[in-house]
Amino acid sequence: MALFNASRLLGKTVMITGASSGIGAATAVLFAKAGTNILLLARREDALNSVQQACVDAHKASGLKEGGTFAHVQLDISDRAAVAALWSKVPSSFRDIDILVNNAGYVIGRDQVGDIDESIVDGMFATNVLGLIAMTQLVLRDFKKKQSGHIINIGSIASREAYVGGSIYCATKYAVNAFTVSMMKELVNTPIRVTEIQPGMVETEFSLVRFNGDAKAAKDVYTGLQPLTGEDIAEEIVWAASRPPHVNIADMLIYPVNQAAATIAYRTSS
Ligand SMILES: NC(=O)c1ccc[n+]([C@@H]2O[C@H](COP(=O)([O-])OP(=O)(O)OC[C@H]3O[C@@H](n4cnc5c(N)ncnc54)[C@H](OP(=O)(O)O)[C@@H]3O)[C@@H](O)[C@H]2O)c1
């Protein structure tokens, strides 16, 4: 059986934030395989170029005629003025979005309350919460006008369970969850779909960013177990997007098989 029903995605236009690495990049490539057009957004232009090329290759390999146009725009979603001006930088054929994947987000450090640098607090809220809200508002006005669209927010196990050393990150992801659920309730009388995908441990650049580029500290997070990959989460995102129009996947919590809570994991000693 096919992983997803590509016919439901053919020719759709997908906008993905945080498309330069990890879950966002893998999601872009999988959507490309499914015959969509994609607008890739992130701050790192070089990385966006590489992901765009990977999308071109994936679409070519799929043999599909539909979709297959790709563009990228450098965007810091925490910059409100830049988000407001986004459409002026986007080629006109990418301004009618069908699916928004609000994926950009990060955590810095494991400091506990009382010791957290205020600039880190501000930065995480500005991206994970305010940036996600600004991007959503940007498309939702159009979704309401045309009475269609799908917003897929990337939450986390941290949207459901707070843990020691994660106060700010968890607060941002709880906020994402509250925002997502409120929006889903507000849109109940429309065909617009709202989904939150909540991954557990995924090995991407996430831990490298968390530990300020310390590769060993980042690797240690996954010692003794097999973490999820960006591709594992991309499968869930594209699957949710490819359900029939009357089906809304409200949320999905995805763990590696040896994880059972934010801080409960079984690890082999070797
Ligand atoms: N990895 C995990 O274990 C895990 C678990 C649960 C949830 N998540 C969530 O999954 C999402 C993706 O993370 P990932 O694991 O794929 O990590 P990643 O590889 O570090 O990717 C994060 C992406 O977000 C982008 N980004 C960060 N700040 C941005 C900003 N201000 N403006 C625009 N783009 C920004 C980064 O691109 P640039 O640096 O190029 O801007 C990058 O493309 C995040 O929301 C994260 O919280 C991850």
Side-chain angles (χ1 to χ4, degrees):
M1 202 171 83
L3 172 64
F4 46 78
N5 187 333
S7 67
R8 297 195 189 113
L9 295 172
L10 293 177
K12 301 260 186 210
T13 299
V14 186
M15 178 159 74
I16 304 175
T17 69
S20 60
S21 71
I23 295 168
T27 300
V29 170
L30 200 52
F31 268 122
K33 275 187 196 162
T36 67
N37 308 298
I38 308 176
L39 176 60
L40 308 156
L41 305 172
R43 293 166 301 179
R44 287 171 294 169
E45 177 103 49
D46 286 358
L48 283 174
N49 266 316
S50 308
V51 176
Q52 186 167 332
Q53 187 55 52
C55 288
V56 170
D57 296 343
H59 183 264
K60 200 177 281 176
S62 76
L64 291 170
K65 297 213 174 355
E66 298 85 352
T69 64
F70 308 105
H72 69 265
V73 173
Q74 200 176 13
L75 177 72
D76 179 345
I77 64 160
S78 70
D79 179 341
R80 302 289 281 278
V83 172
L86 178 64
W87 295 135
S88 66
K89 297 193 174 152
V90 171
S92 55
S93 59
F94 288 91
R95 289 184 203 153
D96 184 10
I97 303 295
D98 297 297
I99 301 163
L100 167 64
V101 182
N102 267 321
N103 164 74
Y106 70 91
V107 57
I108 302 278
R110 281 191 175 279
D111 288 342
Q112 297 194 10
V113 181
D115 297 324
I116 308 166
D117 191 308
E118 290 298 339
S119 67
I120 287 176
V121 178
D122 292 351
M124 282 164 58
F125 269 93
T127 294
N128 300 5
V129 182
L130 303 179
L132 178 143
I133 292 171
M135 290 301 301
T136 303
Q137 297 225 79
L138 197 68
V139 301
L140 196 54
R141 292 183 193 107
D142 291 336
F143 282 8
K144 284 180 178 175
K145 263 187 227 146
K146 66 180 181 177
Q147 286 290 293
S148 70
H150 193 168
I151 294 168
I152 302 179
N153 289 339
I154 309 306
S156 169
I157 174 58
S159 302
R160 298 184 177 216
E161 189 191 341
Y163 58 88
V164 172
S167 58
I168 306 307
Y169 182 62
C170 295
T172 67
K173 291 297 186 180
Y174 268 64
V176 167
N177 177 251
F179 176 72
T180 307
V181 172
S182 293
M183 180 166 54
M184 187 175 61
K185 290 177 179 176
E186 288 175 7
L187 294 170
V188 69
N189 59 343
T190 78
I192 301 166
R193 301 191 289 180
V194 178
T195 297
E196 183 177 343
I197 300 288
Q198 301 171 328
M201 274 186 266
V202 190
E203 191 167 13
T204 58
E205 294 179 17
F206 182 76
S207 292
L208 204 59
V209 171
R210 176 171 221 157
F211 297 114
N212 289 309
D214 181 339
K216 182 175 179 318
K219 196 76 198 160
D220 284 351
V221 173
Y222 314 108
T223 301
L225 58 73
Q226 182 178 356
L228 300 169
T229 63
E231 287 73 16
D232 292 326
I233 301 303
E235 287 191 11
E236 312 312 340
I237 294 168
V238 177
W239 180 80
S242 64
R243 296 309 83 212
H246 67 287
V247 176
N248 186 46
I249 304 299
D251 60 38
M252 209 190 295
L253 172 65
I254 307 117
Y255 287 134
V257 70
N258 292 128
Q259 182 179 9
T263 58
I264 297 176
Y266 171 76
R267 297 172 194 270
T268 56
S269 52
S270 58

